[in-house]
Amino acid sequence: MNPNPATGSIAWPADFLWGVATAAHQIEGNNLGSDYWLLEHLAPTSFVEPSGDCCDSWQRWPEDHALVAGLGLNAYRFSVEWARVEPAEGAFSPAMLDHYRRQCDGLRERGIAPVVTLHHFTSPRWLAACGGWEDAATPSRFARYCEQVARALGNRVAVYCTLNEPNAQLNSYILRGDRCADNEAGIVAAACKALGSARFGSYFMGDSYRVRDICLQAHQLAVQALGAAAPQVPSGMTLALQALECGEGGEALYDKLFEQARRPFYEAAARDAFIGVQPYMRFRTGPAGFLPTPTGVEIDRWGHDASPDVLEAAVREAARCTGTAVYVTEHGINTDDDAQRLRHLQVSLPGLQRCIADGIRVLGYTHWSLLDNFEWRSGYAQKFGLYSVDRQNFERRAKPSAAAYRELVRSLRAG
Ligand code: BGC
């Protein structure tokens, strides 16, 4: 550690990655070949609205990069869309790979490290028709795609994230009492009909225990493939790590969630260069699910406990359970009140600094998100962005929290 002689505070590591994060399907728009596009347009659907044009980042990525640079950051986490890169099984698109290569070059030119996620929830439709994340051949399919991306992007990438939150599905499945969502059978039937296929499997569907095991295999094969194609680039997976506490009578649920939806992932991540940590909320287990949000705590737009110490708790747990370096690949708050976002950041980051002071290796912090974007099933009403986006002309407008994040990062870097 390196205490600042003037203030006595702990300086952030010089190579710390300060960033913002996005994901392809949430910002690019018109991701026609993906399973989610299909799901968004089905009847029945569980999406409140379709993703449509999103933030039009497919075309406007140079504008997005300029915003990241303007924030004074040195890292940008974004994802490569598998459905675009491999639109039919085994048929890789040189043009699509080139699109992402140009994005990496664009970031490098601005002195920003590209942090690339290879799978952020969405998969190609053809994969879904093969059974998706329940199919035994999916790990090798995923590794083949990762290898192609790594060969195309080469040394431009600073960090690879393989799978985003592969523990999130099982978490929800366990909370439903080891069951799929009630409407899932109807959605799968409609998707099979639309695709003319006998099977349909998506990342958040099916038997989540099986999906977990397939994801863990896929991650392992992907790390090997990436290591062979781009040996100098560290890779790891990112996990949904809400602060989990055991409330009164909640011991059995707590143990089940921890043993099934955390421990196997921690054991796998222990072998990786880092673990990606993504905390947003705190949940307390009770006898029949999570306990209601206590009164008096900071809440997000969904009414969940979004206390700022959630970040520190998650980082400490991940470090303790894996022994590997921690990278906060996402953290933020869903709020219409931008002053709350700012406060949340200002109170959360000192917790991360305390982790570093205690000797935990933290590689970086990536705020979710650069832009207000397509928040999956709950659509565009949810607001995580430092910038708002006009839904008609896609104009990005800085919220006050953007300048404040810039200033916060500047002052923390200065020590
Ligand atoms: C996901 C993001 C999502 C964010 C906010 C994370 O679980 O990786 O895609 O937008 O949480 O809900």
Side-chain angles (χ1 to χ4, degrees), residues 23 26 77 120-121 164-165 240 242 278 280-281 302 330 368 373-376 384:
Q26 295 179 268
R77 176 176 175 232
H120 199 120
F121 296 169
N164 187 63
E165 301 190 340
Q242 316 308 346
Q278 311 198 155
Y280 288 88
M281 307 144 194
W302 285 311
E330 282 182 34
W368 185 272
N373 60 45
F374 179 66
E375 178 55 27
W376 307 111
F384 282 92

Side-chain angles (χ1 to χ4, degrees), residues 106-318:
L107 289 167
R108 287 288 184 192
E109 279 158 23
R110 295 179 185 271
I112 300 167
V115 176
V116 172
T117 308
L118 290 146
H119 187 272
H120 199 120
F121 296 169
T122 46
S123 310
R125 282 179 189 209
W126 60 259
L127 187 90
C130 296
W133 294 89
E134 285 185 293
D135 191 67
T138 290
S140 54
R141 294 182 183 116
F142 180 61
R144 179 182 55 187
Y145 150 73
C146 290
E147 189 193 332
Q148 291 286 330
V149 174
R151 292 206 184 286
L153 305 187
N155 284 339
R156 297 165 178 84
V157 175
V159 178
Y160 276 119
C161 304
T162 58
L163 295 171
N164 187 63
E165 301 190 340
N167 64 326
Q169 309 88 322
L170 184 52
N171 211 70
S172 314
Y173 193 81
I174 291 174
L175 282 165
R176 287 190 298 259
D178 281 350
R179 290 181 45 226
C180 296
D182 289 342
N183 57 356
E184 189 171 306
I187 291 171
V188 169
C192 286
K193 194 167 166 216
L195 281 179
S197 137
R199 300 174 76 192
F200 184 87
S202 193
Y203 204 53
F204 281 90
M205 289 182 163
D207 172 353
S208 297
Y209 291 95
R210 176 148 179 91
V211 170
R212 172 194 65 190
D213 296 345
I214 296 285
C215 283
L216 285 170
Q217 281 173 36
H219 169 67
Q220 199 190 341
L221 293 189
V223 169
Q224 285 165 13
L226 294 166
Q232 68 296 337
V233 184
S235 57
M237 64 183 148
T238 66
L239 298 182
L241 290 177
Q242 316 308 346
L244 187 64
E245 287 180 2
C246 184
E248 209 173 318
E251 293 77 7
L253 179 59
Y254 178 90
D255 289 348
K256 188 163 181 183
L257 287 171
F258 194 90
E259 292 306 319
Q260 300 297 332
R262 291 207 179 186
R263 194 182 298 286
F265 293 94
Y266 281 149
E267 285 171 0
R271 298 187 287 271
D272 294 337
F274 69 92
I275 176 170
V277 171
Q278 311 198 155
Y280 288 88
M281 307 144 194
R282 169 172 284 113
F283 291 111
R284 295 171 184 80
T285 57
F290 287 148
L291 297 173
T293 304
T295 47
V297 298
E298 181 97 44
I299 56 163
D300 65 10
R301 200 176 184 281
W302 285 311
H304 295 311
D305 175 353
S307 300
D309 62 334
V310 157
L311 173 63
E312 180 173 0
V315 169
R316 288 189 187 278
E317 181 184 289

Side-chain angles (χ1 to χ4, degrees), residues 310-331:
V310 157
L311 173 63
E312 180 173 0
V315 169
R316 288 189 187 278
E317 181 184 289
R320 188 174 65 245
C321 295
T322 63
T324 193
V326 170
Y327 185 178
V328 181
T329 38
E330 282 182 34
H331 171 256

Side-chain angles (χ1 to χ4, degrees), residues 386-399:
L386 297 169
Y387 287 79
S388 65
V389 178
D390 184 297
R391 303 246 15 88
Q392 293 309 315
N393 63 18
F394 309 105
E395 190 189 326
R396 281 91 164 114
R397 273 215 194 96
K399 301 180 191 176

